[in-house]
Amino acid sequence: MIDIKNISKWYGSFQVLTDCTTTIKKGEVVVVCGPSGSGKSTLIKTVNALEPIQKGDIVVDGISISDVKTNLPKLRSRVGMVFQHFELFPHLSVTENLTLAQIKVLGRNTEEAKTRGLKMLDRVGLIAHKDKYPGQLSGGQQQRVAIARALSMDPIVMLFDEPTSALDPEMVGEVLDVMVKLAQEGMTMMVVTHEMGFAKKVSNRVIFMDAGKIVEDCTSDEFFGDPEARSPRAKEFLSKILQH
Amino acid sequence: MNLDFSFVNWGVVSSFIAKGFFYSIQLTLVAMVGGIVVGTLLALMRLSGKKWLVMPAAFYVNTLRSIPLVMVILWFFLLIPLLTGIRMGAEASAIITFTVFEAAYYSEIMRAGIQSVPKGQVYAGYAVGMTYPQCMQLVVLPQAFRNMLPVLLTQTIILFQDTSLVYAIGAYDLFHGFDTVAKNFGRPVESYLLAAAVYFVMCFSLSMLVRQLQKRIQIIR
Amino acid sequence: MGSTWDWQIFLQDTGGGQSYLQWMLSAWGWTLSVALLGLIVALLVGALMGILRTVPSKGLQFLGNAWTELFRNVPLLVQIFLWYHVIPTLFLSLRAIPSFVLVVFALGFFTSARIAEQVKAGINALPKGQRYAGLAMGLTLPQTYRYVILPMAFRIVIPPITSESMNIIKNSSVAFAVSIAELTMFAMQAGEETSRPIEMYLAVTVLYFVSAFAINRIAALIERKLQVPGMGVGK
């Protein structure tokens, strides 16, 4: 589904990603973790070409993002993304947030878009809030709407960039519950997160990054079940995180 | 499009332009210094919380900011001789006008600057036993001034441009110099283009300097 | 100074068949028209230039920046003289244009530079994530500007644009220099003719106040109507 091939990225003279390679298969749930500054947020943003890469290539469902002939907006419409700071459009109501891209990008008519959007909204448990504005919702509610917004586009894969990092602790649970359900329903997911409980429960594979490189890329069982076999950096990270 | 700049030479510049140039600079500098001093005072009055200080200061600032500068120039040119009995030329009247006028604008800037200094600073000053005037003078104003320096300088650039409006009362400023040249040599197109170029070069360079200054201040922070 | 006020002067005939009062009111009309039309020009051009300064193309950014710097660094009076004397000479086809139109453009372009500055600041004030979110859903960059960025940037920019509207009323007074029949010109001429400058100046000043106040109220109303529920944009 997603093929990341030897990609490298620089911000000016600073190299943020060095020769990263990995593959995500259909139906897999892959968690990307690592310390701050390891490049994991940057990595996930390169998958749908929000951040350009200078070396290497990424192929999503057979389409290369570096190919000049690729219609990037069209590709992005099939890849769902959820952001750390939710990024709902504040001047639009919840329903309008859900239908905007369906209408403008996928060309659905208003009724269709509304039906689909509200169905997703119900799936995340927030149908009662359909006419509210983002400013009137809590963080956890906003993030769930953001997930519904991405799902309304019928994506083939969902990317999550630290979806719970900006939430108060009591709201993290409601968002993770939605994500767990999604995973159990078979959605292909790539999740950048610090939530190791979630990773243990639902992920098939774990990618550990440090200083712009992929240091570990193994199954979830191996990562959590066999910490001794992991690289020193990963072991260090695990021991710090799992203490809490 | 027949532009003929041949009439421009050093003699022309020194007889017509130089006088106006120096007047504009003088007017700008005096109004800037005077305006900032009076403006700071007004800002302090408005922030004092005492009604008898706040109201006149607010009235002064809001009134002057609602009237066109040209009208203020006309008013002062008319009223100063009438009220004081002193005969005053256009140039002198303009200096008083601009100082009084710009004070209203500088006061808004200083007010924002004073409010941008965290309240904790004032508490810290009181905690070591300072009086209100000491606090202002030693702790708050120096910081406020530094914070707002780029904005104050930008306002000065605007002030420099505004000095061209003394045209309304016939004072001899930089623009008047070019206008005289235009009329004397019958070359309005070239003269006004030159005027625009001179103003542009001066204002643009100054605003570039202000931008550099802004970057420096941000690093120190 | 006459110690007596003579407000009757306004009813006196100016010699042309209308009273000073009528002349003043017509001058007020000119002031408001010049200001309003100038504002429209300024908003259209300024918004365009402000947007250009934020798009990824270096060439378009340069265009926006150059425009802004050009019209910000020359005094309005000089710009009006350029429009009035220079443009019709350089572009012969424009010879027949009435001075009113030239002043509208002079005011409009001058103010557009300031509006471009504010629009650019407004767009840049939005979190970068908004742009990403729009693009991530498959919207093209122009669509992202149209549906996501500009609606919010517009609301951020309303307070500064209000103050620009008040400024343009004040700046319209500079048109006196090219004999446009607006309020300041009226004040100068009528003041001289009647030898009663104080009454004339006072009346004109009051009218400027009223205009500025009206603009302020209208803008506050617009801001309230456009407020996004749940966001305290403004007071």
Side-chain angles (χ1 to χ4, degrees), chain B residues 1 63 65-68 70-71 74-75 78 105 161 164-165 167-168 175 189 192 196 199-200 203-204 211, chain C residues 69-70 72-75 77-78 81-82 85-86 89-90 170 173 176 184 188 197-198 201-202 205 208-209:
Chain B
M1 209 163 106
T63 306
R65 283 168 58 99
S66 313
I67 316 181
V70 188
M71 283 308 299
L74 291 174
W75 270 115
L78 175 72
Y105 288 82
Q161 292 187 21
S164 58
L165 293 179
Y167 184 78
F175 180 70
V189 177
Y192 294 137
Y199 275 105
F200 180 82
C203 295
F204 185 68
R211 228 167 280 186
Chain C
E69 289 305 325
L70 187 62
R72 276 170 91 181
N73 288 300
V74 179
L77 184 67
V78 179
F81 267 83
L82 284 179
H85 290 271
V86 177
T89 317
L90 293 182
K170 292 188 281 174
S173 64
F176 81 88
T184 303
M188 291 165 93
I198 296 192
Y201 286 6
L202 209 51
T205 303
Y208 273 118
F209 262 126

Side-chain angles (χ1 to χ4, degrees), chain A residues 16-49:
Chain A
V16 292
L17 293 176
T18 309
D19 204 30
C20 299
T21 303
T22 188
T23 312
I24 300 180
K25 294 197 271 292
K26 185 158 189 238
E28 269 196 314
V29 174
V30 177
V31 162
V32 181
C33 62
S36 294
S38 55
K40 47 193 201 297
S41 273
T42 313
L43 179 70
I44 203 171
K45 288 210 195 77
T46 59
V47 173
N48 62 352

Side-chain angles (χ1 to χ4, degrees), chain A residues 51 73 76 87-88 90-91 104, chain C residues 129-130 132 135-136 138 147 228:
Chain A
E51 290 283 357
R76 289 180 184 140
E87 303 302 347
L88 291 182
H91 57 294
K104 298 292 169 190
Chain C
Q130 286 287 297
Y132 279 152
L135 291 173
Y147 296 109
V228 176

Side-chain angles (χ1 to χ4, degrees), chain C:
Chain C
M1 162 175 164
S3 47
T4 53
W5 295 99
D6 179 13
W7 293 103
Q8 297 282 47
I9 196 79
F10 280 101
L11 299 175
Q12 187 182 306
D13 189 271
T14 68
Q18 58 170 339
S19 68
Y20 280 98
L21 183 61
Q22 285 170 313
W23 182 8
M24 184 172 74
L25 291 176
S26 119
W28 192 21
W30 279 107
T31 290
L32 291 175
S33 323
V34 164
L36 191 62
L37 291 173
L39 186 63
I40 293 176
V41 170
L43 285 173
L44 289 174
V45 176
L48 177 64
M49 289 300 158
I51 292 173
L52 286 184
R53 293 172 80 185
T54 64
V55 298
S57 153
K58 281 256 145 60
L60 290 177
Q61 268 187 39
F62 179 77
L63 178 62
N65 287 331
W67 179 275
T68 306
E69 289 305 325
L70 187 62
F71 288 98
R72 276 170 91 181
N73 288 300
V74 179
L76 178 56
L77 184 67
V78 179
Q79 288 190 36
I80 285 186
F81 267 83
L82 284 179
W83 280 92
Y84 195 74
H85 290 271
V86 177
I87 301 285
T89 317
L90 293 182
F91 303 101
L92 293 169
S93 51
L94 294 174
R95 271 246 165 94
I97 292 196
S99 1
F100 176 81
V101 174
L102 293 173
V103 169
V104 165
F105 275 103
L107 255 182
F109 282 16
F110 174 77
T111 310
S112 77
R114 299 169 63 127
I115 292 194
E117 189 65 30
Q118 283 143 10
V119 168
K120 175 180 109 145
I123 291 177
N124 286 337
L126 294 175
K128 207 170 174 203
Q130 286 287 297
R131 191 183 287 230
Y132 279 152
L135 291 173
M137 307 222 51
L139 295 170
T140 61
L141 192 62
Q143 282 177 322
T144 305
Y145 265 90
R146 160 103 173 70
Y147 296 109
V148 178
I149 295 181
L150 293 181
M152 282 310 288
F154 179 67
R155 284 167 174 90
I156 295 179
V157 163
I158 289 187
I161 287 192
T162 306
S163 76
E164 283 314 317
S165 313
M166 290 176 62
N167 281 338
I168 214 172
I169 299 248
K170 292 188 281 174
N171 286 335
S172 68
S173 64
V174 183
F176 81 88
V178 293
S179 310
I180 299 290
E182 47 73 60
L183 277 177
T184 303
M185 167 105 282
F186 165 82
M188 291 165 93
Q189 277 188 337
E192 254 189 64
E193 272 184 30
T194 62
S195 300
R196 293 224 153 266
I198 296 192
E199 285 90 334
M200 295 299 162
Y201 286 6
L202 209 51
V204 162
T205 303
V206 167
L207 286 181
Y208 273 118
F209 262 126
V210 168
S211 312
F213 185 73
I215 298 265
N216 198 282
R217 291 293 94 204
I218 293 177
L221 186 72
I222 295 181
E223 199 178 338
R224 248 200 327 271
K225 292 254 148 167
L226 289 177
Q227 205 166 37
V228 176
M231 302 211 77
V233 181
K235 268 191 246 197

